Amino acid sequence: MISIILPIYNEQDGLASFMRSLESELTKLKEDVEVIFINDGSTDDSLVLVKNYCDSNNRYKYLDLSRNFGHQIAVTAGIDHALGDKIVLMDADGQDPPSVIPEMLAKMEEGYDVVYAKRIKRQEESLLKKMTASFFYKLLNKITSIEIPVDTGDFRIMNRKIVEGLKKMPEKQRYLRGQIAWLGYKQTSVSYERHGRNAGTTGYTYRKMIHLALDAITSFSNLPLRLATISGFVCALIGFLLILYTLYSRFILQVYEPGWSSLMITIVFLGGIQLMGIGIIGEYISRINDNVKNRPLYLIAETNITLNA
Ligand code: UDP
Ligand code: MG
């Protein structure tokens, strides 16, 4: 069976046309299919629409999260409840075309554990989004030791082996693309053109994107911490040289001014570096804190899946 995971956040206007294209694709498949909608605290009528779909088809299931937990956690909730031996992650806004699914399935038949969809073209997304995304992926690739594929979102198909691997990663900061890359096994890609949204606006605000980016970096790289250390050493070295120079000008050259500007520069510079270092450490500590608190990743308000917990 194939499980299709659909996170839903305020998608009432585009859902119907997406579901039409998805269903027409699913009927062509020979495998059994289940669809899992995860309503991630939508404030519009998405949940009503989702429940209608579930009433019309007993292969359709839904999880209604107790509030908006964010895309990565919504997808995680879906993965946790999927029963299929192949699992598809995709957006429900029409940006990930269902017509790519058969292609991904065919690739999987060749013996791959993960087939992710690589975007060769992005339509109708703001230049700023494309530029920040491309900068971020380049940076991430430079500073992490694992190879996280560029130009890919979460649109992909994976098998049970990967899902079981993911379940062994209980971290609270979810960056599924990175986690799946970290798991290894055999992974490959197919290319597709990313469409614009069917309707509505993106649920990924810049705030959420920065959050995701920081989660990705702190989860997969310790380089920022090392940078703080290195800049500390560099400053200490500069400071030491300054001491030598001060002594030299005081006792050998005998020329010394009440050095207001050099003092100010040093204080501001060192203060800045120290705050930066503390900030970086803080980013990591806050994430350690989240993991130590060990709160559940998400809570389910309502579902038509029988839960065994
Ligand atoms: N989404 C979600 N929770 C959120 C934001 C988004 O479940 O807090 C869902 C959304 O409904 C869509 C998918 O995640 O199915 C991708 O989100 P979106 O299209 O807003 O992101 P973008 O494509 O702009 O990166
Ligand atoms: Mg989208």
Side-chain angles (χ1 to χ4, degrees), residues 54-182:
C54 294
D55 287 341
S56 73
N57 189 328
N58 62 358
R59 288 257 156 244
Y60 289 4
K61 300 165 183 175
Y62 73 94
L63 294 163
D64 176 35
L65 302 187
S66 62
R67 63 172 169 85
N68 178 247
F69 282 90
H71 168 255
Q72 296 286 308
I73 291 180
V75 172
T76 305
I79 294 173
D80 288 345
H81 293 86
L83 297 176
D85 46 305
K86 294 179 187 130
I87 284 129
V88 176
L89 312 182
M90 68 192 301
D91 292 356
D93 59 1
Q95 288 197 281
D96 299 335
S99 54
V100 185
I101 297 176
E103 219 180 307
M104 294 200 289
L105 274 168
K107 253 273 138 36
M108 202 166 214
E109 293 298 311
E110 294 172 21
Y112 290 100
D113 299 297
V114 181
V115 182
Y116 52 85
K118 208 173 167 73
R119 304 159 176 168
I120 46 172
K121 219 160 116 192
R122 288 179 143 201
Q123 294 171 358
E124 289 169 43
E125 280 176 305
S126 73
L127 190 63
L128 187 63
K129 176 149 189 171
K130 283 187 221 174
M131 270 165 45
T132 47
S134 122
F135 167 75
F136 165 69
Y137 288 120
K138 283 202 188 101
L139 175 76
L140 192 64
N141 248 330
K142 280 243 154 58
I143 66 177
T144 54
S145 46
I146 54 161
E147 191 106 348
I148 301 174
V150 290
D151 291 329
T152 54
D154 287 309
F155 186 20
R156 61 190 59 214
I157 181 166
M158 54 202 189
N159 62 17
R160 265 285 133 197
K161 206 151 68 176
I162 298 295
V163 169
E164 294 310 318
L166 276 177
K167 286 187 183 167
K168 289 187 187 141
M169 299 174 92
E171 58 236 56
K172 307 293 173 195
Q173 294 80 36
R174 311 300 291 182
Y175 185 63
L176 291 166
R177 282 158 246 184
Q179 291 174 260
I180 292 169
W182 183 89

Side-chain angles (χ1 to χ4, degrees), residues 7-9 11 40 68 70-71 74 91-93 95 125 129 194 197 201-204 208:
I8 312 276
Y9 178 62
E11 300 288 2
D40 186 19
N68 178 247
H71 168 255
D91 292 356
D93 59 1
Q95 288 197 281
E125 280 176 305
K129 176 149 189 171
R194 187 156 165 91
R197 280 185 148 264
T201 51
T202 174
Y204 260 103
K208 283 184 182 168

